[in-house]
Structure formats: structure tokens, C-alpha cells
């Protein structure tokens, strides 16, 4: 929920996004919880946000959702939204 970044389901974060800048290098990324073991989050304050939780696609949909089922549709949507072509590091061209 605003003003917090990421993708939320109520008060639980489903996807974290972030940017880091340091030593003249910028890195960015995201973490989409598909079938994550959420018990680890019981030992920390996720993203430093007191009173907020973490969830996953598997928990929200009530069935196991492996990364392999999400990856291709996610990448297709990313290309469409950002009007770009993604290239794998394994592709020679």
C-alpha cells in the first residue's frame, strides 16, 4: 500500500523491488515470491516495515506455484510494458 514500494496483497508484500547505488554502480532488481518458504520471514522485520507481512503466489492462490510456471509470462509482460526485447546472457547474439 502507498507509500511502500513493491506489489502488495493487503498488508503483505508479494514482490519486492529495489535500487541500489554505490561506488558509481547502479543495480536494481525484484523478488517475486512464488513458492517461497515464508517461515524465514518470522525471524526478521521484512523490508524494515513493522506490522507488515510477506506472502507468495502459492499462499494467495492456495496451490503450489513454481517459478517455472511464472517466468515466461512474467518476462513476456515485462517486454510488453517496457517496450523492450530481453536477451539472455546465454544467447550468443
Amino acid at each position: 500500500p502507498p507509500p511502500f514500494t513493491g506489489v502488495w496483497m493487503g498488508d503483505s508484500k508479494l514482490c519486492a523491488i529495489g535500487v541500489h547505488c554505490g561506488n558509481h554502480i547502479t543495480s536494481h532488481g525484484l523478488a517475486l515470491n512464488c513458492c517461497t518458504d515464508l517461515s524465514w520471514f518470522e525471524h526478521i522485520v521484512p523490508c524494515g516495515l513493522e506490522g507488515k507481512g510477506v506472502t507468495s503466489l502459492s499462499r494467495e492462490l492456495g496451490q503450489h506455484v513454481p517459478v517455472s510456471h511464472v517466468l515466461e509470462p512474467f518476462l513476456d509482460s515485462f517486454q510488453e510494458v517496457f517496450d523492450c526485447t530481453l536477451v539472455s546472457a546465454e544467447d550468443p547474439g
Side-chain angles (χ1 to χ4, degrees):
F4 306 122
T5 61
V7 177
W8 292 80
M9 299 290 294
D11 280 338
S12 295
K13 189 178 267 194
L14 176 65
C15 179
I17 59 173
V19 176
H20 176 265
C21 302
N23 297 325
H24 308 288
I25 296 172
T26 304
S27 56
H28 53 279
L30 62 89
L32 175 61
N33 295 325
C34 294
C35 52
T36 307
D37 177 1
L38 299 174
S39 67
W40 292 100
F41 290 103
E42 296 170 11
H43 305 284
I44 64 169
V45 178
C47 302
L49 300 174
E50 293 280 351
K52 303 294 181 193
V54 177
T55 192
S56 67
L57 289 173
S58 293
R59 176 181 280 174
E60 295 300 321
L61 296 173
Q63 63 185 26
H64 181 70
V65 180
V67 173
S68 61
H69 289 176
V70 176
L71 189 56
E72 187 173 339
F74 173 83
L75 295 176
D76 290 344
S77 295
F78 186 96
Q79 290 181 109
E80 183 179 330
V81 168
F82 291 101
D83 191 25
C84 66
T85 301
L86 299 176
V87 178
S88 171
E90 297 168 2
D91 291 343

